[in-house]
Amino acid sequence: MKNPLLQQQGLPAFSQIKAEHVEPAIDTLLEQNRQAIAELIEKTATPDWDNFVAPLEALHDRLSRAWSPVSHMNSVVNNDALREAYNSCLSKLSAYHTELGQHKGLYEHFNQIANSEQFKQYNAAQQKAITNALRDFRLSGIELDEAQQQRYKDIRQQLSSLKSKFSENVLDATQAWTLDIEDESRLSGLPESARAMAKQAATAAEVDGWRFTLEFPSYFAVITYADDAALREQIYEAFATRASEQGPNAGQWDNTDLIKQILALRHESAQLLGFNNYAEESLATKMAETPQQVLDFLNDLADKGKPYAEKDLTEVQAYAREHHAIDTLNAWDIPYYSEKLREHRYSISQEDLKPYFPEDKVVQGMFDVVERLYGIRISEQHDIDTWHDDVRFFDIRDRNGELRGQFYLDLYARANKRGGAWMDECIVRRRTEASLQTPVAYLTCNFSAPVDNDHALFTHNEVETLFHEFGHGLHHMLTLVDSASVSGINGVPWDAVELPSQFMENWCWQKESLQLFARHYQSDEPLPDTLFERMLAAKNFQSGMQLVRQLEFALFDFRLHHEYDPAQPCNVGALIDEVREQVAVIKPPAYHRFANSFSHIFAGGYAAGYYSYKWAEVLSSDAFAEFEEHGIFDADTGQRFLAAILEQGGSRDAMDLFIEFRGRPPTVDALLRHSGIAA
Ligand code: ZN
């Protein structure tokens, strides 16, 4: 029988894909690709787009069209056999990609094209695809001499084991600490769900009473709801000192030394590649251009946000004094009294809103919004082969009836499906001599399924999540770029890729759009104004304090990598103090060691990139402000956003595209206003 993963026509045949198809298909494709690439290099003495880049793109596309359904099914209909097949292919694929990244022959051919006369005749997308490829070759050390290249490889290897050691330490330190409570009165204030979770943990460990841990849901429940201040303090200290030389498990799993080594190696490898420091290396692939630009951005937000954070703190202090006779708030008291204040001011729960967000209205309403904005039509297709009966499939057509893209919509949580929500590529847009391949996306959520054939009702958070992922989906599907490596979300810098997604969330917070779809599932009554006002006020609760907290992380991360000096390795603690002095309004106790568990930057991919969160929010808020100025359903503005952002993918510089839409560079004003912080 034929292997369905090797057939490259049309949509994947999910129902026919079996675990035993996976490894043979990937082995075949890797083998064929390696051979085809060698031949391609061999036979093209004068490489150009048509004889070299296009056939290479076709090889990449074949592989990703086979791998995409496997990787997707591994996430959403997981089973042991599939997982095993998936995992054994992962290392082969990663070896293949590393090999291509270091491939001198490929690099020289790309270089030759970039220096040719023809290059200037190529369109923007083609030029960008080629310059991106060259940039990525350089970032993998291809231009280094042999000795340097060896050193560079060693550093990469050491960094990867140090990073995984860092996260192991955080994990071990998190799991090592538990607190068993037998006296039920100490649980006062904790919601039923948190008690049940603690009871379950105790039962699993075969101890009496309730067990609390440093897993986030357990920590969060105690620090937010426990009436017992000593209990909050105890868990706060344990959480804040994980993987450090402080606290209840001082010195075990200590990450202090790993931080020093990671910083030193990152700095050395950045310098090998010709950068002054790791912050510069990080920006080489981002929208922000210089470290100074990032620092100015963060400092500006800090100056504007701090007074509001101070006001937030004063309010919670006043509340604790007036209503609870508490004069001094310690770090472990602030989440607790903040929650009390929030309940006091806006008693609103996600449950109150649910009847107004029935699935059919929300999904149709979301389609209505984008149809009005972009002049597109979305229609459901039936009898499409999928991986599960709940999955729906849609076509997007433009105003001329041309097919632009298609997507699978998989909304409900179920067993063997990874949690969370995401958009992923099934097929990417590209044009070949023979035809146009239109893009296909997967939109995956984990919302509650309808019970007994009743309506599925969403929380407002879920509605926002759906809009967010659909925004990523539109970026992928509405692209008009014909070169795969810069079409849709491909080639979009990390700090700009959340623009279209966060941008879509705005339509969940506007009365005018909520009227379209926020309607009671039984009576069809629109969401009442009083509920809407409270929802909006609750959204911006303590937004000043939230902002400065994010800025504290971002500034610390960025300065740490930017100011690194091997002659005077940085004192991490002193830098944190300095950053806090500038932006923070809450001063944690001296034992606090937040860097020691800051996995985003020491174990994940956010090093000198944590600022991206705020950066993208600024872009999306500022883009939405253009709609506020012209009307949130203004089709002209929609058309301009479509043409400047969604259709362009990664084919042009992200800042140029933003300016093309907005008429000027981004400013932070709209973000501050949307967060209830107006200058
Ligand atoms: Zn996102």
Side-chain angles (χ1 to χ4, degrees), residues 235-392:
I235 202 167
Y236 176 89
E237 188 197 0
F239 192 81
T241 55
R242 283 174 303 154
S244 78
E245 86 296 3
Q246 296 283 329
N249 286 324
Q252 300 185 60
W253 312 287
D254 187 355
N255 272 335
T256 310
D257 232 44
L258 295 185
I259 293 176
K260 287 184 189 145
Q261 293 178 55
I262 289 170
L263 289 171
L265 289 171
R266 277 186 184 147
H267 186 78
E268 189 186 343
S269 86
Q271 292 211 320
L272 272 174
L273 296 177
F275 299 101
N276 289 310
N277 50 63
Y278 185 78
E280 285 184 7
E281 181 183 338
S282 160
L283 297 189
T285 51
K286 295 195 172 74
M287 174 177 175
E289 278 171 354
T290 62
Q292 197 53 49
Q293 196 184 2
V294 173
L295 290 168
D296 289 347
F297 166 74
L298 295 172
N299 288 329
D300 178 34
L301 271 179
D303 287 347
K304 290 178 170 143
K306 197 172 179 188
Y308 291 86
E310 279 161 350
K311 191 170 125 273
D312 288 343
L313 182 64
T314 313
E315 278 178 16
V316 67
Q317 283 166 335
Y319 166 81
R321 210 167 20 244
E322 261 172 52
H323 295 261
H324 300 269
I326 299 286
D327 278 331
T328 317
L329 288 187
N330 296 301
W332 51 87
D333 298 324
I334 290 169
Y336 174 80
Y337 288 103
S338 294
E339 178 58 21
K340 291 268 172 295
L341 172 59
R342 198 183 64 84
E343 284 167 14
H344 174 76
R345 272 202 202 153
Y346 329 99
S347 53
I348 187 165
S349 82
Q350 290 283 336
E351 291 300 313
D352 295 336
L353 296 170
K354 263 177 121 168
Y356 293 94
F357 295 112
E359 174 190 333
D360 50 347
K361 295 218 165 71
V362 169
V363 172
Q364 190 51 54
M366 179 172 79
F367 292 170
D368 290 346
V369 168
V370 299
E371 289 183 354
R372 287 170 71 168
L373 287 175
Y374 307 130
I376 53 177
R377 280 260 144 253
I378 300 176
S379 54
E380 184 157 13
Q381 300 297 310
H382 299 278
D383 304 320
I384 298 288
D385 185 355
T386 72
W387 54 93
H388 192 276
D389 285 346
D390 287 344
V391 178
R392 299 166 70 189

Side-chain angles (χ1 to χ4, degrees), residues 544-554 583-584 586 592 610:
M545 288 213 295
Q546 282 166 24
L547 172 65
V548 296
R549 198 173 137 78
Q550 288 296 311
L551 292 173
E552 182 185 325
F553 296 164
V583 298
I586 301 168
H592 201 293
Y610 199 86

Side-chain angles (χ1 to χ4, degrees), residues 586-639:
I586 301 168
K587 299 278 156 30
Y591 60 67
H592 201 293
R593 289 290 178 274
F594 103 95
N596 291 51
S597 57
F598 198 2
S599 298
H600 271 80
I601 69 163
F602 294 117
Y606 277 88
Y610 199 86
Y611 79 88
S612 299
Y613 286 112
K614 276 291 153 219
W615 184 274
E617 265 185 73
V618 163
L619 299 179
S620 61
S621 279
D622 199 10
F624 183 67
E626 178 82 8
F627 283 85
E628 291 177 309
E629 287 158 24
H630 294 93
I632 67 160
F633 286 115
D634 184 61
D636 273 355
T637 313
Q639 226 19 256

Side-chain angles (χ1 to χ4, degrees), residues 362-611:
V362 169
V363 172
Q364 190 51 54
M366 179 172 79
F367 292 170
D368 290 346
V369 168
V370 299
E371 289 183 354
R372 287 170 71 168
L373 287 175
Y374 307 130
I376 53 177
R377 280 260 144 253
I378 300 176
S379 54
E380 184 157 13
Q381 300 297 310
H382 299 278
D383 304 320
I384 298 288
D385 185 355
T386 72
W387 54 93
H388 192 276
D389 285 346
D390 287 344
V391 178
R392 299 166 70 189
F393 187 82
F394 298 86
D395 279 357
I396 302 183
R397 292 181 182 273
D398 66 16
R399 60 178 85 247
N400 304 317
E402 293 288 332
L403 184 67
R404 286 290 281 269
Q406 295 164 302
F407 59 98
Y408 299 91
L409 184 63
D410 184 358
L411 287 176
Y412 311 130
R414 61 174 175 265
N416 303 317
K417 179 172 170 183
R418 171 157 67 89
W422 67 92
M423 189 288 292
D424 205 354
E425 300 175 349
C426 175
I427 297 177
V428 65
R429 177 182 165 111
R430 56 186 285 264
R431 193 182 292 276
T432 64
E433 262 174 59
S435 66
L436 174 69
Q437 173 172 303
T438 50
V440 181
Y442 310 109
L443 294 177
T444 312
C445 301
N446 270 281
F447 303 158
S448 327
V451 183
D452 300 334
N453 277 333
D454 210 350
H455 291 72
L457 299 177
F458 295 158
T459 65
H460 186 257
N461 280 345
E462 289 173 336
V463 175
E464 209 180 0
T465 299
L466 180 64
F467 274 63
H468 178 104
E469 298 308 331
F470 197 52
H472 283 306
L474 292 175
H475 202 191
H476 175 61
M477 293 183 284
L478 296 181
T479 189
L480 287 182
V481 175
D482 291 335
S483 311
S485 68
V486 285
S487 96
I489 59 170
N490 291 293
V492 178
W494 194 354
D495 46 358
V497 81
E498 294 295 329
L499 161 59
S501 52
Q502 293 180 350
F503 167 79
M504 274 300 294
E505 293 174 17
N506 288 293
W507 276 266
C508 304
W509 292 102
Q510 298 289 318
K511 209 163 161 181
E512 209 183 330
S513 48
L514 285 169
Q515 265 162 2
L516 279 180
F517 59 87
R519 290 181 167 273
H520 197 280
Y521 74 108
Q522 285 165 330
S523 66
D524 202 42
E525 292 287 322
L527 182 73
D529 283 355
T530 49
L531 267 182
F532 174 70
E533 299 299 338
R534 261 159 57 203
M535 200 174 104
L536 210 57
K539 171 185 177 237
N540 289 334
F541 178 61
Q542 290 190 342
S543 55
M545 288 213 295
Q546 282 166 24
L547 172 65
V548 296
R549 198 173 137 78
Q550 288 296 311
L551 292 173
E552 182 185 325
F553 296 164
L555 272 167
F556 168 69
D557 161 50
F558 203 80
R559 289 186 54 188
L560 189 65
H561 291 96
H562 183 232
E563 293 167 17
Y564 187 86
D565 175 2
Q568 269 182 310
C570 139
N571 179 338
V572 172
L575 180 62
I576 295 178
D577 288 345
E578 214 179 292
V579 169
R580 283 193 180 135
E581 197 49 52
Q582 180 197 351
V583 298
V585 293
I586 301 168
K587 299 278 156 30
Y591 60 67
H592 201 293
R593 289 290 178 274
F594 103 95
N596 291 51
S597 57
F598 198 2
S599 298
H600 271 80
I601 69 163
F602 294 117
Y606 277 88
Y610 199 86
Y611 79 88

Side-chain angles (χ1 to χ4, degrees), residues 34-96:
R34 284 190 168 101
Q35 207 180 333
I37 288 169
E39 282 167 14
L40 196 57
I41 291 170
E42 182 73 31
K43 74 170 192 222
T44 45
T46 326
D48 59 26
W49 186 272
D50 293 332
N51 71 15
F52 183 73
V53 186
L56 192 62
E57 186 186 284
L59 295 174
H60 293 327
D61 189 61
R62 223 156 86 94
L63 182 59
S64 65
R65 285 186 62 166
W67 183 242
S68 165
V70 172
S71 152
H72 183 66
M73 286 173 74
N74 183 59
S75 297
V76 297
V77 280
N78 191 282
N79 61 56
D80 288 347
L82 184 60
R83 184 186 308 180
E84 203 179 303
Y86 172 85
N87 284 333
S88 43
C89 289
L90 265 191
S91 53
K92 294 180 185 180
L93 285 163
S94 124
Y96 170 78

